[in-house]
Amino acid sequence: MGRGRTEIKRIENPNQRQSTFYKRRDGLFKKARELSVLCDADLLLLLFSSSGKLYQYHSPSVPSAKELIERYELATQTKIWRDYIVDRNAEIVKVEQLCDALEKQLRFMKVDEGQEYSLPDLSNVEHSLEMGISKVRVEMERKIGGQMNKLESMINLYVDDVFTIFKVRDRQQERYGLCDKIDGTKAAIHLGLSVETSKI
């Protein structure tokens, strides 16, 4: 009797998932080797695990994966490596432009008395300084508000503690007063009994 067909879905148990990944990876690489040898095919197999680890296989007849990728680029008229380099160069240019702009702005912040500035330059410096001051003020107000809230909560706790101390003291005084009353009553009773016994 044959094995039942299993439903293809994500394995929830991480240990079982990892074990299945390694078994299937080995099976896939074995099939790739067999295809390469039996059919004299050049192939490249790239596999990334869920943790991002790279596993690769390429035909023994090809010295490197890079050569197969270059052949792929020729066959499909796409430029994987060059597109990456162009994107990287464009990113480098953007970063250099940003650095130049920041350096220029820093130079404006340090106004040199000996250097001549145009009115638009000075206006830009003034605008930047005003924006910086407003940001500083907002941050100061936020910090002061936080400190005031903290002090207010500390004062509230202190006041609660003082009220609790007064309540405890009042209760203790009531108890002492009650004890005095009880002692007085006991003394009166004792005196009353002693008077009556002396009469007898």
Side-chain angles (χ1 to χ4, degrees), residues 21-96:
F21 171 78
Y22 288 130
K23 287 178 190 172
R24 299 246 176 166
R25 178 204 64 190
D26 294 343
L28 187 61
F29 282 6
K30 181 180 177 188
K31 290 288 183 188
R33 276 191 299 276
E34 289 172 359
L35 181 64
S36 175
V37 171
L38 291 172
C39 302
D40 195 26
D42 293 334
L43 62 93
L44 170 65
L45 178 61
L46 299 175
L47 179 65
F48 288 93
S49 69
S50 57
S51 63
K53 188 172 180 182
L54 169 67
Y55 300 93
Q56 66 178 356
Y57 171 80
H58 60 83
S59 304
S61 58
V62 180
S64 69
K66 185 177 179 183
E67 185 177 316
L68 279 172
I69 291 173
E70 287 171 352
R71 282 172 54 189
Y72 171 81
E73 287 178 339
L74 283 172
T76 59
Q77 301 296 317
T78 57
K79 304 292 182 195
I80 297 172
W81 293 115
R82 289 182 192 154
D83 288 346
Y84 173 75
I85 290 169
V86 166
D87 290 344
R88 189 91 184 263
N89 287 341
E91 191 176 337
I92 289 170
V93 167
K94 280 182 187 176
V95 170
E96 285 174 350

Side-chain angles (χ1 to χ4, degrees), residues 104 108 116-128:
K104 187 176 180 183
F108 282 144
E116 291 291 322
Y117 292 98
S118 66
L119 282 176
D121 288 344
L122 291 172
S123 177
N124 286 338
V125 170
E126 182 183 25
H127 179 70
S128 297

